[in-house]
């Protein structure tokens, strides 16, 4: 392929003999690097999606070749322009591939700093207008490359909470799609318009706006910051377990999504990450690391993001995570999925008798479905039952279930004596809040951004920045007090304390208790199915119904002038 390209280039650039040897070598080397980079990039698709070791050396080689290619075209731009006919969109294509590499490296490692690197390459393409000439060429496939670049750039900006950039990109993408469909009369117009609709809905999913004095929207980040998790008191006895791996599973029907992220998955993944740091000052580029060096301690737990997985996909990733879990580490499973309820009556009360949450059905099990409908005594096949997770309780397991059938996981049994906690969402919400489900679950919002969730259930839809910051400060105080309630409790199950040494899990537990206490005090949350639950059960009087905590919640409501939404004398109501 390279030889053919060379002959083509050389003959078009004038008589072959006229070209100096050095310039000929430059073009040859460039063609070699370009071919090699494409070959390695395409090979990334064949790497297994799970398992953390197999892919690293391959990624390293791919990065090395792209780094060489990028530097090479910078150093020899003049020769490549004259002799190869290098076009600006081709440079853009290389930059776009490097951006994709960084993004995929982020997905593989959960190191948020790589998102910044992806952003800088994608930004350069836009600032330097690498793709601007594409529209002048009569090649629809080149325009599609440009549109895909926009979609990828939007995903990275969403993950970095750069909402102002997202809005600009959406406008540009909209114009590009209009121009593309007008010029080429293509069939994929509907698909591209759907992309626009999805991202617009994603941007508007937050139910509360925080506003500056000039009414511009404040962008709030919900990743773990230095002051995020409540600190442990001196002498507090908690476990030394660390959250090492997480499966984030999204399988809700009709929830806002973009790319392969539902809004619930998007919120939860940010709750399991620290704020990104500047990569240049922090660590080497991927693949630039000497093999003798040990990689730096990973700051974020490793994550798998699974959008609408089948049962076999889910189980494969779960088994891979379980297998690679280091000693003294925790595996977290987050399930945001439609509830699946048992179809027939069962006399027993085992781990397969209460249903569970939906897994995706593939066409290849149609026969199984047919049998299933004939016999009501069979269990639901496209469903993750509590019993399916039993084998994995041989290691410390932290489960969060956000579903209309989350209570199925209340019937858990700790078979192996390892730390095990399940945090379970309400199975129904008051009617006034139900129409919000498309914009993400209230329970997950509490775990990701408790103040926004609190404002939402209090009927507020916007807030000034100063008041928001004052409330955030007060919420940090509430979190510190919840941490003390948990660690001072005499009757709490030890599993909670064994997970409490990890910052991410500590924050999730304190937010869970804040969520539960808020809902129990709220005037419209009056049915037991409106409240979160947990396995093992928390001692209510020491945690979610503690008078000290209830007083704090009323204080927060007073700061916001929404005290009338909550019951004053909640203790008398039980």
């Amino acid at each position: 392929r390279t030889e053919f390209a060379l002959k083509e280039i050389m003959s078009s650039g004038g008589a072959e003999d006229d070209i100096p040897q050095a310039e000929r070598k430059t073009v040859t080397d460039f063609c070699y690097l370009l071919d090699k980079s494409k070959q390695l990039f395409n090979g990334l698709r064949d790497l297994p999606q799970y398992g953390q070791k197999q892919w690293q050396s391959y990624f390293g080689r791919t990065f090395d070749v792209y780094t060489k290619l990028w530097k090479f075209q910078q150093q020899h731009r003049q020769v490549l322009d004259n002799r190869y006919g290098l076009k600006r969109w081709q440079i853009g294509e290389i930059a776009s591939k490097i951006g994709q590499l960084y993004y995929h490296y982020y997905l593989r490692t959960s190191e948020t700093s790589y998102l910044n690197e992806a952003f800088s390459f994608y930004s350069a393409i836009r600032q330097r207008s690498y793709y601007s000439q594409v529209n002048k060429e009569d090649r629809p496939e080149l325009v599609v490359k440009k549109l895909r670049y926009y979609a990828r750039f939007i995903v990275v900006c969403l993950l970095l909470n750069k909402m102002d950039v997202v809005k600009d990109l959406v406008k540009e993408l909209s114009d590009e799609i209009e121009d593309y469909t007008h010029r080429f009369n293509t069939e994929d117009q509907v698909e591209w318009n759907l992309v626009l609709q999805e991202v617009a809905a994603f941007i508007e999913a937050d139910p509360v706006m925080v506003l500056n004095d000039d009414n511009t929207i404040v962008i709030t980040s919900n990743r773990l910051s230095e002051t995020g998790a409540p600190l442990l008191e001196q002498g507090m006895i908690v476990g030394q377990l660390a959250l090492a791996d997480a499966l984030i599973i999204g399988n809700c029907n009709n929830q806002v999504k973009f790319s392969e992220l539902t809004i619930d998955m998007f919120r939860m993944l940010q709750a399991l990450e620290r704020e990104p740091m500047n990569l240049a000052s922090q660590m080497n580029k991927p693949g630039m690391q000497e093999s003798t060096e040990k990689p730096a301690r990973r700051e974020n737990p490793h994550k798998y993001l699974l959008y609408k997985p089948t049962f076999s996909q889910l189980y494969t990733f779960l088994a891979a995570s379980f297998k690679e879990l280091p000693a003294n580490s925790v595996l977290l499973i987050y399930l945001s999925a439609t509830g699946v309820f048992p179809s027939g009556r069962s006399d027993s009360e085992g781990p397969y008798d209460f249903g569970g949450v939906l897994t995706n059905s593939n066409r290849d099990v149609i026969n199984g479905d047919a049998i299933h409908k004939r016999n009501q005594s069979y269990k639901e096949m496209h469903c993750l039952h509590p019993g399916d997770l039993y084998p994995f309780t041989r290691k410390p397991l932290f489960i969060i279930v956000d579903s209309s059938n989350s209570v199925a996981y209340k019937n858990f049994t700790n078979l192996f004596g390892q730390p095990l906690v399940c945090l379970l969402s309400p199975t129904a919400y008051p009617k006034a809040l139900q129409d919000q489900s498309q914009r993400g679950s209230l329970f997950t919002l509490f775990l990701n951004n408790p103040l926004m969730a609190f404002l939402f259930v209090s009927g507020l839809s916007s807030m000034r920045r100063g008041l928001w910051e004052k409330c955030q400060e007060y919420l940090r105080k509430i979190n510190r007090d919840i941490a003390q309630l948990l660690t001072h409790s005499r009757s709490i199950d030890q599993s909670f304390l064994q997970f409490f040494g990890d910052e991410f899990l500590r924050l999730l537990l304190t937010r869970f208790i804040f969520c539960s206490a808020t809902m129990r005090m709220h005037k419209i949350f009056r049915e037991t199915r409106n409240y979160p639950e947990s396995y093992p059960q928390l001692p209510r009087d020491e945690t979610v119904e503690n008078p000290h905590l209830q007083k704090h919640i009323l204080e927060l409501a007073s700061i916001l002038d929404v005290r009338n939404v909550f019951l004053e004398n909640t203790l008398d109501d039980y």
Side-chain angles (χ1 to χ4, degrees):
R1 206 166 41 159
T2 310
E3 271 179 39
F4 173 76
L6 270 173
K7 281 178 183 163
E8 193 82 351
I9 292 153
M10 299 306 189
S11 56
S12 63
E16 227 175 290
D17 301 339
D18 296 351
I19 297 171
Q21 191 64 38
E23 291 186 11
R24 189 192 299 265
K25 185 177 183 326
T26 298
V27 175
T28 312
D29 289 352
F30 178 74
C31 287
Y32 168 76
L33 283 172
L34 193 61
D35 267 3
K36 187 75 182 157
S37 67
K38 285 178 182 171
Q39 192 185 331
L40 284 167
F41 192 89
N42 293 337
L44 290 171
R45 292 188 197 115
D46 303 327
L47 292 177
Q49 291 298 301
Y50 49 85
Q52 292 172 39
K53 301 293 174 280
Q54 306 91 316
W55 55 271
Q56 276 175 323
S57 61
Y58 191 95
F59 252 89
R61 291 210 308 281
T62 312
F63 263 107
D64 282 345
V65 169
Y66 270 97
T67 306
K68 283 177 189 160
L69 180 64
W70 186 250
K71 285 179 180 166
F72 194 88
Q73 63 80 24
Q74 284 176 320
Q75 289 161 355
H76 303 283
R77 181 76 55 85
Q78 195 68 50
V79 174
L80 292 170
D81 278 353
N82 296 339
R83 302 298 186 193
Y84 178 84
L86 184 66
K87 293 188 167 63
R88 287 188 70 71
W89 67 260
Q90 289 173 301
I91 301 168
E93 195 59 10
I94 297 168
S96 179
K97 289 276 201 295
I98 295 171
Q100 285 176 66
L101 274 178
Y102 275 116
Y103 174 65
H104 283 287
Y105 208 78
Y106 155 72
L107 288 180
R108 295 263 184 180
T109 62
S110 301
E111 174 50 74
T112 35
S113 304
Y114 293 123
L115 283 173
N116 283 337
E117 297 298 305
F119 177 81
S120 63
F121 272 91
Y122 285 150
S123 287
I125 294 170
R126 185 163 165 248
Q127 284 159 2
R128 298 173 194 174
S129 308
Y130 281 139
Y131 279 126
S132 61
Q133 300 302 306
V134 159
N135 296 16
K136 293 181 181 169
E137 304 208 18
D138 196 28
R139 292 171 61 188
E141 75 278 9
L142 282 187
V143 183
V144 169
K145 279 181 193 284
K146 184 178 187 176
L147 300 181
R148 284 187 179 152
Y149 149 72
Y150 269 106
R152 291 184 181 114
F153 193 6
I154 288 169
V155 172
V156 167
C157 291
L158 284 171
L159 287 164
L160 286 170
N161 293 308
K162 294 183 185 287
M163 293 303 171
D164 43 349
V165 185
V166 171
K167 284 171 186 168
D168 291 344
L169 291 174
V170 169
K171 191 180 178 315
E172 288 171 29
L173 177 58
S174 177
D175 294 344
E176 293 288 349
I177 290 168
E178 203 174 314
D179 179 65
Y180 166 64
T181 50
H182 179 70
R183 280 173 61 213
F184 297 109
N185 194 20
T186 59
E187 290 174 11
D188 54 358
Q189 179 180 358
V190 176
E191 287 168 45
W192 281 109
N193 283 329
L194 186 63
V195 168
L196 284 175
Q197 285 163 25
E198 282 185 351
V199 73
F202 211 89
I203 296 168
E204 286 162 18
D206 280 355
V208 179
M209 285 188 298
V210 185
L211 300 171
N212 284 309
D213 293 337
D214 60 356
N215 282 347
T216 53
I217 294 173
V218 178
I219 307 303
T220 57
S221 172
N222 301 303
R223 289 188 169 93
L224 182 63
S225 61
E226 295 300 314
T227 56
L231 294 169
L232 294 171
E233 293 176 69
Q234 284 236 294
M236 206 182 257
I237 309 294
V238 293
Q240 299 303 305
L241 296 170
L243 178 60
D245 225 331
L247 265 79
I248 295 180
I249 294 146
N251 200 358
C252 277
N253 297 332
N254 65 37
Q255 193 180 83
V256 167
K257 65 166 271 286
F258 184 60
S259 188
E260 291 211 325
L261 276 180
T262 64
I263 192 74
D264 277 357
M265 293 170 73
F266 177 74
R267 285 175 177 155
M268 185 47 63
L269 78 87
Q270 299 209 26
L272 300 178
E273 291 180 346
R274 295 175 197 280
E275 284 296 344
M277 292 168 73
N278 186 358
L279 196 63
S281 62
Q282 188 202 357
M283 60 206 301
N284 294 322
K285 294 267 194 292
M288 312 297 169
Q289 211 164 316
E290 294 299 317
S291 53
T292 52
E293 281 182 46
K294 282 194 172 162
R297 185 176 79 83
R298 190 164 50 223
E299 286 297 308
N300 295 323
H302 171 265
K303 295 184 298 296
Y304 289 120
L305 306 174
L306 302 180
Y307 174 66
K308 297 204 166 179
T310 61
F311 176 80
S312 55
Q313 284 169 329
L314 198 160
Y315 230 56
T316 304
F317 280 85
L318 195 47
S321 279
F322 180 81
K323 176 174 175 274
E324 296 197 344
L325 198 69
N328 300 320
S329 296
V330 182
L331 172 59
L332 181 145
I333 302 169
Y334 168 78
L335 298 162
S336 157
T338 304
V340 176
F341 298 89
S343 51
R345 281 271 171 103
S346 174
D347 299 332
S348 61
E349 293 202 340
Y352 286 89
D353 293 321
F354 297 95
V357 300
L358 188 68
T359 55
N360 219 353
S361 54
N362 259 356
R363 287 182 188 157
D364 56 7
V365 285
I366 285 169
N367 297 343
D369 274 353
I371 297 167
H372 191 96
K373 287 183 175 62
R374 280 206 307 271
N375 190 332
Q376 289 291 301
S377 66
Y378 289 134
K379 303 301 175 199
E380 297 64 35
M381 194 185 299
H382 305 301
C383 170
L384 187 76
H385 298 265
D388 293 326
L389 297 178
Y390 276 22
F392 303 103
T393 60
R394 288 173 168 83
K395 291 182 181 178
L397 199 58
F398 193 98
I399 302 166
I400 301 171
V401 186
D402 195 336
S403 172
S404 54
N405 191 23
S406 58
V407 287
Y409 294 80
K410 228 171 64 170
N411 307 288
F412 234 84
T413 311
N414 190 340
L415 298 175
F416 303 104
Q418 289 291 316
L420 171 66
V421 161
C422 304
L423 305 182
L424 312 171
S425 70
T427 54
Y429 291 101
K431 283 200 165 49
L433 299 173
Q434 278 168 358
D435 57 347
Q436 291 294 323
S437 59
Q438 251 192 310
R439 293 165 76 174
S441 155
L442 178 59
F443 178 67
T444 292
L445 185 61
F446 261 105
L447 297 180
N448 158 267
N449 189 340
L451 181 54
M452 186 172 282
F454 189 86
L455 296 175
F456 173 59
V457 296
S458 303
L460 299 170
S461 59
S462 67
M463 155 144 308
R464 293 279 159 209
R465 182 181 198 145
L467 186 55
W468 170 270
E469 284 168 358
K470 182 181 176 183
C471 292
Q472 283 286 31
E473 194 51 51
Y474 194 75
L475 195 56
R476 279 194 276 276
K477 174 179 164 41
I478 294 178
N479 269 340
R480 287 195 294 274
D481 286 359
I482 292 173
Q484 283 188 6
L485 289 177
L486 267 174
T487 49
H488 292 179
S489 165
R490 291 171 183 261
S491 52
I492 195 167
D493 188 284
Q494 286 302 300
S495 282
F496 290 102
L497 298 178
Q498 283 169 297
F499 289 129
F500 214 64
D502 180 89
E503 277 183 288
F504 292 104
L505 300 180
R506 184 156 73 246
L507 202 52
L508 287 172
L509 284 167
T510 52
R511 285 172 174 175
F512 172 80
I513 289 169
F514 174 71
C515 167
S516 194
T518 299
M519 289 175 177
R520 285 166 184 278
M521 291 180 70
H522 199 290
K523 283 179 181 172
I524 65 168
F525 287 75
R526 295 317 324 133
E527 298 177 52
T528 48
R529 63 195 190 129
N530 297 159
Y531 306 141
E533 304 215 30
S534 67
Y535 169 88
Q537 280 195 333
L538 283 162
R540 277 196 209 169
D541 55 334
E542 293 181 300
T543 55
V544 296
E545 287 173 13
N546 179 279
H548 183 63
L549 174 55
Q550 291 178 335
K551 189 165 148 281
H552 277 330
I553 287 171
L554 288 175
E555 277 297 313
L556 181 60
S558 295
I559 297 172
L560 293 162
D561 202 17
V562 291
R563 196 158 171 152
N564 60 321
V565 175
F566 296 93
L567 299 165
E568 293 281 341
N569 52 344
T570 41
L571 288 180
D572 304 342
D573 293 339
Y574 285 95

